[in-house]
Amino acid sequence: MTGLQTPVKLPAQTELQTPTKPSRLWSTVFAIAVGAVVLVAGAGLKITWSDLPAMPGQIAHYLRLMFEAPNLEKLPRALFETWRSISMAWLGAIMCVVVSIPLGMLAANGVGPWWLRTALRGVFAVIRAIPEVIIALILLTVTGLTPFTGALALGIAGIGTQGKWVYETIESVQEGASEAVRAAGGNTAEVTRWALWPAAAPTLMSFALYRFEINIRTSAVLGLVGAGGIGSMLSNYTNFRQWDTVGMLLIVVVIATMLMDAVSGAIRRRIMEGAKVRDVARSS
């Protein structure tokens, strides 16, 4: 026979309080400010809105002039200039990587002193703020109208972005290997060499190839300001309104860029993923 159980007294049901509705004041103010900036910028451009309906027809007209019957007589020279642009992009990428990797590693937390990190990150930010075209125009006064000017401009302009990628990659590396090297008596240089670099090298090499892909596209733009390559040829024939040759040049640029992107992308995937192991099933 069991004893009588004392009834449990349930607490009085408290009144449910709904959470306070979040304020949308600042988001509304921000949206209004952005809209005002867009309206002011659009008003300052003095756009002739009445010309917009005729734009599709004009675009179609010039597309027919360029691609209806492309001029293939200049194709050999176009291929040669494309090769110069690719060489310019590759040389610029190498210069960028050689400079940005050591500087970017010194800018990472735990590697360089705070004053050096601050200075390097400031330099990277300033370089990122200057477009490649402006750097090329400055270098033109020193090096002249040569492809080396374009390669140098691409190398300098890439240091800002590449250096940022480097120190962010170094800072994202797991701490286990670094702590192991420090526990064994290693200094900062040894930690960088034997812990940080092996872990970050695949990602940094992938970023270097991605920089090369960016340089290929940018090299065509630098050619418009006289830095050489396919961009200079494209600018000249555009100025003389030889649209059939311009169409051929655009086709060459698009095909060359897509091919280099495919090759570079395959190499980057191989670096990041490694070689794929295939299982060969042997029938008994």
Side-chain angles (χ1 to χ4, degrees):
M1 182 176 180
T2 59
L4 297 177
Q5 296 180 352
T6 304
V8 179
K9 185 177 181 181
L10 298 176
Q13 201 172 20
T14 58
E15 183 180 356
L16 295 177
Q17 296 182 354
T18 58
T20 305
K21 185 178 181 180
S23 176
R24 300 179 60 87
L25 174 63
W26 291 111
S27 59
T28 304
V29 171
F30 179 75
I32 294 175
V34 171
V37 170
V38 172
L39 291 176
V40 172
L45 292 178
K46 297 181 180 179
I47 301 174
T48 306
W49 299 103
S50 59
D51 294 339
L52 292 180
M55 287 185 62
Q58 294 177 357
I59 294 174
H61 171 68
Y62 284 105
L63 288 177
R64 284 194 301 270
L65 292 177
M66 288 188 291
F67 301 112
E68 190 173 28
N71 182 13
L72 300 180
E73 293 182 1
K74 302 295 183 180
L75 181 59
R77 185 187 168 194
L79 296 176
F80 175 74
E81 294 296 337
T82 301
W83 172 250
R84 294 180 68 179
S85 294
I86 294 174
S87 302
M88 185 167 58
W90 179 246
L91 183 59
I94 291 177
M95 289 190 294
C96 167
V97 170
V98 169
V99 175
S100 63
I101 286 183
L103 294 182
M105 296 183 76
L106 289 174
N109 291 326
V111 179
W114 68 268
W115 57 268
L116 182 59
R117 296 198 306 267
T118 303
L120 288 175
R121 295 189 182 197
V123 171
F124 294 155
V126 170
I127 294 176
R128 288 197 305 273
I130 305 176
E132 291 89 344
V133 176
I134 303 300
I135 297 177
L137 290 175
I138 296 173
L139 293 175
L140 283 175
T141 60
V142 180
T143 57
L145 298 174
T146 63
F148 178 71
T149 301
L152 196 59
L154 292 173
I156 295 174
I159 291 174
T161 305
Q162 195 77 18
K164 179 179 174 64
W165 289 343
V166 170
Y167 71 72
E168 288 181 348
T169 302
I170 295 296
E171 291 175 352
S172 65
V173 172
Q174 297 294 331
E175 294 291 337
S178 301
E179 294 175 354
V181 176
R182 291 190 186 277
N187 54 27
T188 302
E190 291 170 339
V191 169
T192 303
R193 169 63 183 87
W194 301 108
L196 299 179
W197 172 251
T203 303
L204 296 182
M205 293 301 102
S206 176
F207 282 151
L209 288 171
Y210 184 58
R211 185 72 236 176
F212 171 59
E213 296 178 13
I214 296 175
N215 284 356
I216 291 178
R217 299 177 180 87
T218 310
S219 62
V221 179
L222 293 183
L224 300 178
V225 297
I230 191 67
S232 295
M233 190 176 179
L234 186 61
S235 176
N236 292 334
Y237 283 98
T238 301
N239 292 334
F240 287 103
R241 302 295 191 268
Q242 297 186 18
W243 301 116
D244 53 350
T245 305
V246 172
M248 180 272 296
L249 294 175
L250 291 177
I251 293 174
V252 171
V253 169
V254 170
I255 293 177
T257 303
M258 293 177 63
L259 287 176
M260 297 308 299
D261 282 354
V263 173
S264 179
I267 297 175
R268 283 193 291 112
R269 286 191 298 272
R270 180 64 179 268
I271 292 174
M272 297 301 296
E273 301 174 3
K276 295 182 179 180
V277 180
R278 297 181 179 179
D279 295 331
V280 179
R282 296 182 178 179
S283 57
S284 56

